[in-house]
Amino acid sequence: MQNPFVTTYSKIPDRSYIPTVQTMEIVENFGYRRPSESVYKITGVRGSGKTVLLAKIEEEVKNLEEDKWYIYRLSPTRDMLQQLLANLADDFSGIKGKSKIETDLSLSAKVFGVGGEVDIKTADDNRFFDYGVEIEKLLKKAEASEKKILIGIDEISKTNAVVDFISEFGKWLRAGYPIFLVCTGLYENVEQLYNVKNLTFFRRATTVMTDSLNYIKMTDMYRRHLGVDTSYAKKLADMTFGYAYAFQELGVISFKNRDYTMEEKEEALKTELFAYAYEKIWEEMSEGDRALVSLLTDKEEYSKEEVISRMEKPNNYAVYRDRLLRRGILKKRYGYIGLALPYFGDYITEYTK
């Protein structure tokens, strides 16, 4: 029997996927004739399921009205305007398959409605060509044919390509074109874009933070796919804290090693989390963030007073706490905070001190 649990980056689990409230809310919005929100930013700690959430949204939106939506996934590491133009030209130029954008811009201006028979081929001719202008022409065609366009961008960060693209996207929004954006990124990477000139709309756009997986649904998944009773499945679910990567990884471990004791499964899970998630998370944290979380390793939660009394610079408590909450590393409850990731305290104690 094939393992139903998946840890491959960005791949949507088939039989072990757990729907989230965020997915349903975003898809529902896009299902309206005139969606109230045009841009969503999905943030969360590494391994919390941002990429899977994006892929699931793309899949569900496509199924809303298959003949109405065009879904384009753009890479933030390359020229995003060029990528979008290539996709739009292929779908809306009316000459399908003959309008792919070459890197040297060797394409006919006529294809994009410029008129005439002039080919744009040489570097000297590039001054007559503008990606944004050509994209807008095709967006008008999409609007006229009552089509909608959803752009997906995974792992967004502040690069020239991203800034250029989002700046142009703001113009398309103001013009009322039927184009929508869902992007994912670590909170700190998304935040870097907030103060860029002309990107005010992006800062105000809806931010969705990945949530912990539902405890009952995790328990049911383990019970059904691992063939264990509910009591045992609950213990497995407890070990994950609802952290998506931990849920899938523990499923893989348990499926492959059915003779493992609970303690052996726990140790195997910790090894995977430490090596493939926590090492990178720790590396990306500031010294102040590290100092705060290092005070939270002995028990599940601490009161504000407990933490402040142990800090070298207690005046910075709120700053570090809020940042770590936004990043998904901390959780809070009525004046208490604690680590949101399973065994992260053990990682800190065993590998950073």
Side-chain angles (χ1 to χ4, degrees):
M1 178 180 177
Q2 184 178 6
N3 194 329
F5 297 94
V6 176
T7 57
T8 303
Y9 176 75
S10 81
K11 184 176 181 179
I12 301 178
D14 184 9
R15 289 174 289 166
S16 61
Y17 173 73
I18 295 180
T20 63
V21 174
Q22 298 102 318
T23 306
M24 293 182 283
E25 288 179 349
I26 295 173
V27 173
E28 181 182 8
N29 172 65
F30 287 143
Y32 296 128
R33 184 172 178 274
R34 292 183 177 275
S36 58
E37 302 292 337
S38 297
V39 179
Y40 287 95
K41 302 166 294 186
I42 301 172
T43 67
V45 70
R46 289 184 182 278
S48 61
K50 299 185 297 297
T51 302
V52 170
L53 179 56
L54 172 59
K56 195 63 178 177
I57 290 168
E58 292 169 333
E59 178 184 287
E60 293 294 331
V61 169
K62 182 69 174 178
N63 292 333
L64 287 174
E65 294 178 280
E66 192 166 347
D67 62 332
K68 291 289 186 182
W69 283 94
Y70 288 83
I71 316 295
Y72 304 137
R73 175 71 73 90
L74 305 184
S75 169
T77 62
R78 298 186 289 114
D79 189 323
M80 299 171 70
L81 292 172
Q82 182 179 354
Q83 293 175 65
L84 178 57
L85 180 54
N87 282 290
L88 288 172
D90 197 36
D91 286 322
F92 293 99
S93 68
I95 310 179
K96 200 170 184 67
K98 297 183 180 180
S99 53
K100 292 293 186 182
I101 310 302
E102 303 295 339
T103 55
D104 63 352
L105 297 180
S106 179
L107 56 104
S108 171
K110 185 177 180 181
V111 169
F112 297 107
V114 176
E117 299 293 338
V118 180
D119 282 339
I120 301 174
K121 293 182 178 179
T122 67
D124 290 339
D125 287 330
N126 290 356
R127 66 184 181 276
F128 300 115
F129 185 86
D130 183 275
Y131 287 126
V133 171
E134 303 304 331
I135 288 172
E136 190 163 356
K137 292 174 183 176
L138 295 175
L139 289 177
K140 289 179 180 177
K141 288 189 175 184
E143 183 178 37
S145 57
E146 298 186 342
K147 305 298 185 182
K148 298 178 182 178
I149 296 156
L150 175 62
I151 306 298
I153 307 173
D154 195 26
E155 295 297 339
I156 202 169
S157 61
K158 186 182 176 182
T159 64
N160 290 335
V162 169
V163 171
D164 289 345
F165 177 82
I166 296 180
S167 295
E168 291 291 330
F169 194 92
K171 297 178 185 177
W172 305 328
L173 282 186
R174 289 189 290 273
Y177 295 124
I179 187 167
F180 306 89
L181 171 65
V182 179
C183 62
T184 77
L186 298 175
Y187 181 82
E188 58 271 26
N189 290 340
V190 173
E191 189 179 37
Q192 289 177 355
L193 291 162
Y194 287 170
N195 296 320
V196 177
K197 186 178 179 181
N198 298 325
L199 298 190
T200 304
F201 84 92
F202 185 75
R203 178 171 187 165
R204 294 175 180 173
T206 302
T207 299
V208 174
M209 186 170 177
T210 51
D211 203 357
S212 298
L213 299 180
N214 182 275
Y215 176 73
I216 293 176
K217 291 180 179 178
M218 286 192 297
T219 299
D220 184 58
M221 285 288 183
Y222 285 146
R223 181 186 61 80
R224 288 190 293 112
H225 293 308
L226 298 177
V228 299
D229 61 31
T230 301
S231 177
Y232 194 90
K234 284 181 178 179
K235 293 178 182 178
L236 292 175
D238 281 336
M239 290 167 59
T240 71
F241 281 27
Y243 179 41
Y245 178 61
F247 165 71
Q248 294 291 342
E249 188 59 60
L250 183 57
V252 169
I253 292 168
S254 299
F255 188 88
K256 289 182 176 180
N257 306 281
R258 294 177 182 272
D259 58 337
Y260 271 19
T261 64
M262 187 67 77
E263 290 72 23
E264 289 174 321
K265 291 177 182 179
E266 181 180 50
E267 287 303 313
L269 175 61
K270 288 170 66 173
T271 297
E272 296 299 314
L273 292 175
F274 292 2
Y276 298 111
Y278 296 168
E279 185 176 30
K280 187 63 176 178
I281 291 172
W282 181 262
E283 178 185 307
E284 293 169 339
M285 294 169 63
S286 70
E287 288 299 320
D289 293 337
R290 292 175 183 174
L292 178 58
V293 297
S294 295
L295 301 175
L296 310 177
T297 59
D298 296 327
K299 55 183 181 177
E300 187 172 338
E301 59 182 14
Y302 296 76
S303 69
K304 174 182 176 180
E305 292 72 24
E306 283 183 280
V307 180
I308 288 179
S309 68
R310 300 170 63 189
M311 292 181 67
E312 291 185 8
K313 297 180 180 180
N315 290 337
N316 293 331
Y317 170 78
V319 174
Y320 294 132
R321 178 204 59 195
D322 291 347
R323 184 163 62 206
L324 289 164
L325 285 169
R326 289 194 296 267
R327 293 186 61 186
I329 295 173
L330 290 188
K331 60 183 178 180
K332 66 177 181 178
R333 180 190 67 84
Y334 305 116
Y336 288 81
I337 61 171
L339 298 175
L341 304 174
Y343 308 110
F344 193 45
D346 290 346
Y347 171 79
I348 295 170
T349 300
E350 296 173 21
Y351 289 94
T352 70
K353 294 183 178 180

